[in-house]
Amino acid sequence: AQSVSQHNHHVILSEAASLELGCNYSYGGTVNLFWYVQYPGQHLQLLLKYFSGDPLVKGIKGFEAEFIKSKFSFNLRKPSVQWSDTAEYFCALYSGTYKYIFGTGTRLKVLA
Amino acid sequence: EAGVTQFPSHSVIEKGQTVTLRCDPISGHDNLYWYRRVMGKEIKFLLHFVKESKQDESGMPNNRFLAERTGGTYSTLKVQPAELEDSGVYFCASSQQGLWEQYFGPGTRLTVT
């Protein structure tokens, strides 16, 4: 069965700290992986995506993620977070059947 | 271009009552999806429309949930009668035919008391 696990449910960081949010998936076929973000009061927005090619993917707002096939992981990183990065982050898998499989989300709070 | 809109943004109803949620997809998007997030859990797929046809309703929890998409434009999701465990945030998303990227609405927060 397809699944996505996000191990960090709540993360609190100070501004300028580095961020890494974990995401592991379970799926035996070709995967398409995404990170979505939901800022307070706003829609879910796509941060970045991986379909194929370079396993290091760069997204908007300075975020990047690395696809490591051997570890079934797609961790999200940012070298230096800002207060405005406070949001909930969702890792998702798309297996080609039109539906996304989401993780449980990680709430990030950045202290100014 | 207007995004996906959902109405209402919040709804508080009593157990046993009926609630209807509405989603207006991005104009021209044939695919429309409903997802639900119960507190603390993952966002889960409910169903998928292509135009007015249900393609996949494997995620619908039970027959108290009825989704429609008349004319292939907006969609409604009715819960009748509502139970406490139906509380959560209901997201709608849409995408163009043949494309993977889904655009999400802001969600409707449903609270059943």
Side-chain angles (χ1 to χ4, degrees):
Chain A
Q2 303 160 20
S3 66
V4 175
S5 298
Q6 292 181 245
H7 313 295
N8 318 100
H9 299 295
H10 291 88
V11 173
I12 300 175
L13 295 172
S14 297
E15 274 195 316
S18 64
L19 170 73
E20 181 159 4
L21 301 182
C23 172
N24 288 90
Y25 67 91
S26 172
Y27 181 61
T30 301
V31 293
N32 302 309
L33 294 159
F34 312 92
W35 277 96
Y36 277 82
V37 60
Q38 188 173 26
Y39 297 103
Q42 296 188 28
H43 301 202
L44 274 165
Q45 300 172 38
L46 181 65
L47 260 185
L48 49 78
K49 62 184 184 286
Y50 172 79
F51 271 177
S52 63
D54 189 343
L56 185 60
V57 179
K58 295 194 183 299
I60 61 171
K61 305 188 181 187
F63 286 90
E64 64 179 31
E66 185 174 12
F67 171 61
I68 302 179
K69 189 175 181 179
S70 60
K71 295 185 178 180
F72 296 91
S73 71
F74 190 57
N75 292 355
L76 181 70
R77 300 194 293 245
K78 186 171 185 179
S80 175
V81 295
Q82 301 172 313
W83 177 80
S84 58
D85 293 323
T86 294
E88 190 157 19
Y89 294 80
F90 297 90
C91 184
L93 176 157
Y94 176 76
S95 63
T97 59
Y98 283 98
K99 56 189 172 190
Y100 287 176
I101 310 294
F102 284 91
T104 50
T106 298
R107 285 187 184 272
L108 171 66
K109 181 166 184 165
V110 180
L111 304 175
Chain B
E1 175 184 89
V4 176
T5 58
Q6 293 186 245
F7 182 83
S9 56
H10 293 85
S11 180
V12 181
I13 61 171
E14 293 183 354
K15 177 181 169 180
Q17 290 186 320
T18 297
V19 63
T20 300
L21 313 181
R22 174 172 169 144
C23 168
D24 287 77
I26 293 173
S27 178
H29 283 194
D30 288 339
N31 294 297
L32 186 148
Y33 314 83
W34 283 98
Y35 292 84
R36 177 175 74 170
R37 188 185 191 201
V38 172
M39 189 187 299
K41 303 282 189 179
E42 68 272 30
I43 300 170
K44 276 195 169 179
F45 170 83
L46 295 179
L47 87 160
H48 168 215
F49 283 100
V50 176
K51 298 184 179 178
E52 66 275 8
S53 300
K54 291 177 189 172
Q55 290 298 294
D56 181 354
E57 51 185 330
S58 61
M60 294 287 263
N62 51 60
N63 59 10
R64 295 185 293 102
F65 289 75
L66 175 64
E68 293 180 322
R69 192 182 183 196
T70 307
T73 54
Y74 71 90
S75 174
T76 57
L77 180 64
K78 181 191 287 188
V79 185
Q80 179 182 29
E83 298 288 344
L84 298 178
E85 65 263 26
D86 300 333
S87 295
V89 180
Y90 289 77
F91 292 99
C92 176
S94 70
S95 71
Q96 289 183 289
Q97 188 59 27
L99 298 182
W100 58 267
E101 184 169 358
Q102 297 179 17
Y103 295 83
F104 284 82
T108 292
R109 182 174 295 278
L110 174 64
T111 302
V112 183
T113 63

